[in-house]
Amino acid sequence: MSTATSEASLTPLFVRLKISLMRNGLKGSSKRKAVWITSLVISLVFSLFVTLGLAMLHGHVHAGTVVVLLAAILALGWTVMPLFFPTGDETLDPSRLVMLPLRPRPLVRALLASSLVGTGPLFTLCIAAGSVAAVAHGAAGIVAAVAGAPLLLLGCVALARAVATANVRLLTSRKGRDLALLSGLLIAIGAQLANFASQRLFQQGGLAALEPVEAIVRWLPPATAVGMVDSVSEGAYGVAAAQLALTLAAIAALLFFWERSLTSLMVTPDGSTLAAAKPEKDRGGAGGFWSLLPGGRTGAVMQRTLRYVVRDPKTKSAWVSALAVGLIVPVFNALQGTGSVYLACFGAGMLGVQMYNQFGQDTSAFWMVAQTISSPREAYGELRARAGALALVTVPYTVLVTVITAALVGNWSGFPGALGLGLALLGSMLCTGALASAHFPYSIPTEGAFKNVAPGQGGLAWMGIVGGMLASAVICSPVIALTVYFSVADGLEGLTWILLPLGIAWGTLATWAGLRLAAPAVSRKLPEILAAVSKG
């Protein structure tokens, strides 16, 4: 009696805990609440527009093709996002529960219910509702749609949880996080390949060219939930019944696999705690490349920043992904015949994002850095050295990507303008990155490959990064406007070389101004920054 009662009360308890995690993450800072509410409103408005857009496909000849493929993409996103996308959901790590006297089956039900709470599930439910509304016809179609939308959401959540639980031990170890780096890179490359493949398909025949793919995907759960609604609306009740059975069977199989993985996690010791620690090799001091850095505080900070890139798995993952994607996008576009030399600026933008949340990568160790900052001048020296370490990699990288892109597209006349624009954009992002680091700091949890933002700080991170990128575009807008003017005006193509020194000067000036403006804020808000980055 008591066991059954405790198991029955576990689900509402976990739901309340999830809500408490979300609520507690907003305590202590009115700015954090405002940022979270703003991000929530923007997400809801965006999901509403997407839902209405999908519903407007009702009656379109290719509506079924679009929504079935969208459901598959949504499921793929739920599979990989908990592993490689910045989130703050601590409940994704079931290893925190292994010491509690809980049975796996009721724990699966409780975790599944708590997983349905949050902006992600709400967004998914809106997309699912719009998808089934686009293909539902008649009374039978409406009844099928009422069941299809929740089944799609349930399938996505169960898939994400099963994959996360099966990989939690691997991805929370250091070697596993390095492996996750490779996986994330492969996903980024795969996304670009899918993008260019879809472009080729649309060039060949529009949405009709995707129908053979859709005919296969509609039999892959959980996209079968949307395919079932489409089949019912077309009167193919036998096919719909088979798709419904396949959806339910897939969800049951995922829950069973999740339960088995959870059982194994709860009864199997962590191998990383059993292996004896190996003695570290002598790294030979600060010779070699490090001896080329400036002396004093500047060199020490630059070396620390670059060592984070080499040693810290999460920082390494972000850098490798940015370096790879920044080169893949312009090169693949050039190989497809749709490239432009100005797409090389994409690489500068990808690396410029690494300037954001500079203090968060220090985590709780930032208190040691904070002891060395007692004035705006010292804060400026800290920020300048960090920006210098980034520039040491990003500037040569921007030049290299621009050279490769110009060679592939055969537009060497546009090379000076593209490089100047890329350097101006990079300088603008270093400017806004320094300001975002001062005003929107957030913690990067050290444990768990799933968490790159502490609970309650997701909106803060989103506002800092997205707002900073929009501000960078505004700062760089004079150089962008001049580049466009030289490109469209008659007889001015020969003057594009002016954009190279102008871009260098503009980027340097923007970086200097951003560091100067951010330094007093860092010095003044040091306790607040320390509290924010130490949260995780």
Side-chain angles (χ1 to χ4, degrees), residues 479-512:
V479 181
I480 296 175
L482 192 59
T483 303
V484 173
Y485 177 71
F486 281 166
S487 299
V488 301
D490 295 331
L492 296 180
E493 293 84 356
L495 297 178
T496 55
W497 64 268
I498 298 176
L499 295 171
L500 180 54
L502 177 63
I504 295 174
W506 193 271
T508 304
L509 179 63
T511 303
W512 174 83

Side-chain angles (χ1 to χ4, degrees), residues 25-27 29-40 356-357 435-443 452-468 525 528-529 531-533 535:
L26 300 176
K27 290 183 177 180
S29 173
S30 57
K31 181 177 71 173
R32 187 178 300 164
K33 292 180 182 178
V35 169
W36 187 85
I37 293 173
T38 302
S39 63
L40 176 62
Y356 293 81
N357 195 36
L435 292 169
S437 298
H439 295 284
F440 298 100
Y442 59 90
S443 175
N452 292 284
V453 181
Q457 293 185 329
L460 198 67
W462 187 86
M463 290 294 290
I465 296 175
V466 176
K525 302 172 63 175
E528 182 180 338
I529 295 174
V533 302
K535 181 180 176 63

Side-chain angles (χ1 to χ4, degrees), residues 25 192 247 258 261 300 306 321 427 503:
Q192 290 300 319
T247 303
W258 181 10
S261 299
L306 294 174
S321 298

